[in-house]
Amino acid sequence: MNDMKELLQGILADALDQLKADDAQPDQIRVRFLGKKGDLTAVLRGMGSLSPEERPAIGQLANEVRTQIENAIEKRQTELNDKKLKSKLLAERVDVTVPGEEFAVGHQHPLTLVRRELEDIFLGLGFSIAEGPEVEYDYYNFQALNIPENHPARDTQDTFYITDKILLRSQTSPVQARVMEKQKPPIRIISPGRVYRSDDVDATHSPLFHQFEGLVVDKGITMGDLKGVLELFAKTMFGEETRIRFRPHHFPFTEPSAEVDVSCFACGGKGCRFCKGEGWIEILGAGMVHPKVLSGCGIDPREYSGFAFGLGIERIALLKYHIDDMRLLYENDMRFLGQF
């Protein structure tokens, strides 16, 4: 019995010594002394050699040894966890007094600024935004707009064909045709978006650019309504002193048609370098929707009339910000873009 007591006390002392070591591994110590094949378990298996009178005392002592080892393991594990956390916090310490790094904040591209300003103007007039596919059918891009095959107007809108009947749209006008097919008047929409034409890149041309078009169809719409809307747009966009003028023109999808100029906002119409001495700046095309376009979209031209207009967003951006080369809008030069 005395030998077993000494053995139990030795196991306790050995376990406590190992837990005091700097490189102590509490889990491994638990397995070694308290596991199924541990030292304490081996001692308890030898209790069969004791007399019935000796067993209670040895059993009590063994339980006390187990409890002390478990408590010591738990305490040591807590100490090691605290030490590990303190080391991590020390290694990851942040000096809150050090100034933070400055992050570059992005801003809207000048084309986006102009497009959103245009949208705000016409949304305020009761228009809604309509969108359509950039990969379009020849029918909607040309035929539905009174531009049949072999029509001369196609030469000025030469675009990129995917098949004989599918192309990259050369204008956002197909959106107008799609809306008129599906929606009964009254119609009041704007359609901003990217368009494509087979143009060489220079200061005023690009094979990809952005258009902004508008369409109104209702009973009793006249050229006077078109003039009133465009005049309000010009004054809002370029200043209250801005005036507009219509010059006769021809577009296959409108009749009558007109080119629309605004008075030069740099010189007030007196003539300067900006307007090349003319006092006026060409800004958009417009006209009354051709009866053939209306009827082709299922709208009776005897009952309804409408007007349409279209402008290039790049054109407005060049004028508004006094930019002399359209290529600057696409080159992603931060020295240029940072000015906006």
Side-chain angles (χ1 to χ4, degrees), residues 54-161:
E54 295 173 332
R55 290 175 187 171
I58 296 301
Q60 182 179 355
L61 179 59
N63 287 333
E64 292 174 356
V65 168
R66 175 184 290 277
T67 300
Q68 291 185 56
I69 293 176
E70 287 177 343
N71 291 340
I73 288 174
E74 184 176 351
K75 181 180 178 182
R76 184 57 172 158
Q77 186 66 62
T78 300
E79 292 174 352
L80 292 174
N81 289 341
D82 291 343
K83 183 178 179 181
K84 184 178 180 181
L85 178 60
K86 289 179 181 178
S87 298
K88 184 177 182 181
L89 292 175
L90 186 62
E92 298 177 357
R93 183 175 59 184
V94 177
D95 186 352
V96 295
T97 64
V98 175
E101 295 182 3
E102 184 176 354
F103 291 93
V105 179
H107 57 83
Q108 293 181 351
H109 190 278
L111 289 176
T112 302
L113 291 172
V114 170
R115 190 199 79 228
R116 291 190 173 179
E117 187 172 356
L118 289 168
E119 290 174 351
D120 287 343
I121 292 172
F122 286 97
L123 289 174
L125 293 174
F127 286 71
S128 60
I129 298 175
E131 296 181 339
E134 293 179 20
V135 179
E136 186 57 276
Y137 288 105
D138 179 276
Y139 172 78
Y140 287 107
N141 195 79
F142 290 122
Q143 297 175 47
L145 302 173
N146 197 31
I147 309 177
E149 292 185 13
N150 302 317
H151 193 287
R154 292 195 179 213
D155 294 339
T156 60
Q157 294 194 30
D158 187 21
T159 185
F160 303 93
Y161 281 81

Side-chain angles (χ1 to χ4, degrees), residues 145-207:
L145 302 173
N146 197 31
I147 309 177
E149 292 185 13
N150 302 317
H151 193 287
R154 292 195 179 213
D155 294 339
T156 60
Q157 294 194 30
D158 187 21
T159 185
F160 303 93
Y161 281 81
I162 298 173
T163 69
D164 291 341
K165 296 183 179 180
I166 300 176
L167 47 77
L168 298 182
R169 67 182 183 185
S170 61
Q171 52 195 348
T172 55
S173 302
V175 178
Q176 300 180 19
R178 287 177 174 273
V179 170
M180 286 190 286
E181 276 189 350
K182 297 178 181 178
Q183 180 180 331
K184 293 182 178 180
I187 297 171
R188 190 180 290 110
I189 62 160
I190 51 174
S191 53
R194 287 180 295 193
V195 297
Y196 307 83
R197 295 186 187 178
S198 184
D199 291 338
D200 293 330
V201 177
D202 60 30
T204 57
H205 296 85
S206 170

Side-chain angles (χ1 to χ4, degrees), residues 199-232:
D199 291 338
D200 293 330
V201 177
D202 60 30
T204 57
H205 296 85
S206 170
L208 180 153
F209 58 101
H210 301 77
Q211 270 195 347
F212 185 98
E213 297 193 9
L215 170 71
V216 172
V217 179
D218 204 348
K219 294 180 179 180
I221 299 297
T222 68
M223 200 80 167
D225 297 314
L226 170 61
K227 185 175 185 295
V229 168
L230 294 183
E231 196 166 48
L232 180 59

Side-chain angles (χ1 to χ4, degrees), residues 5 9 35 43 92 101 156 198 260 271 309 321 334:
K5 285 183 178 181
Q9 291 171 351
V43 172
E92 298 177 357
E101 295 182 3
T156 60
S198 184
V260 182
F309 61 87
Y321 299 119
M334 293 304 297

Side-chain angles (χ1 to χ4, degrees), residues 289-303:
V289 180
H290 198 292
K292 286 187 177 181
V293 175
L294 290 174
S295 60
C297 294
I299 297 174
D300 188 350
R302 294 169 297 182
E303 184 177 1

